[in-house]
Amino acid sequence: MGAGTSPDTGSTEEAGATGSTAVSSEPPDTGAATTRRSRRFSLTRDTARPEGGGRAAGGDAPAPARQWPLLAVLCTAGVGLLIVAASPFEEAFRVGTILIGVGLVLGAVLRVTVRSVGMLAVRSRFTDLVTYGLLGVLIVLLALVAQPEPWLDIPFLEDAVHFTVR
């Protein structure tokens, strides 16, 4: 309620110099207009868990075992990052990047096949599947067509690049 508004009638009141209040001569609103909405926004008190957002193993299992799907994805991507960072052999950037993409595809497969995937479930099952799968496949494809000497040759892609760079 704002200052000068009567909670009962919805009419405005004006304070005089002596402190007395006078009610305006406008009739009070009727119907839907009398139901006033709060000016404050409602706060979210709790959020619903995504599908599969429970523990992947029972509560008696140690903490890492309860989140094995997430750990499998993170370890796969982590090994890929280590290979890229250390660059222990030629084409290490390509192999490491492919491992990162495979880790995301593994996340999509786990999200579809395993009922409870723990913290790997971030959004709905469909959204997680599309996000993990699409990003994983795109990363793998980009690693395969990376220059120099790409492992996968896509003819129309080279023509498109030459057309846009001219």
Side-chain angles (χ1 to χ4, degrees), residues 1-13 33-40:
M1 294 285 146
T5 304
S6 171
D8 298 329
T9 61
S11 60
T12 56
E13 301 172 350
T34 58
T35 307
R36 295 193 183 252
R37 295 182 187 251
S38 172
R39 289 186 182 177
R40 294 175 45 184

Side-chain angles (χ1 to χ4, degrees), residues 14-72:
E14 298 174 350
T18 61
S20 64
T21 58
V23 178
S24 69
S25 60
E26 296 177 8
D29 291 334
T30 58
T34 58
T35 307
R36 295 193 183 252
R37 295 182 187 251
S38 172
R39 289 186 182 177
R40 294 175 45 184
F41 294 102
S42 63
L43 299 175
T44 303
R45 301 275 183 229
D46 193 14
T47 57
R49 279 182 155 176
E51 303 168 27
R55 293 178 173 164
D60 56 340
R66 290 193 300 258
Q67 298 298 331
W68 69 267
L70 179 65
L71 288 175

Side-chain angles (χ1 to χ4, degrees), residues 88-108:
F89 53 89
E90 191 176 330
E91 302 289 334
F93 77 94
R94 194 181 312 267
V95 172
T97 308
I98 289 172
L99 272 175
I100 294 169
V102 166
L104 286 171
V105 171
L106 173 68

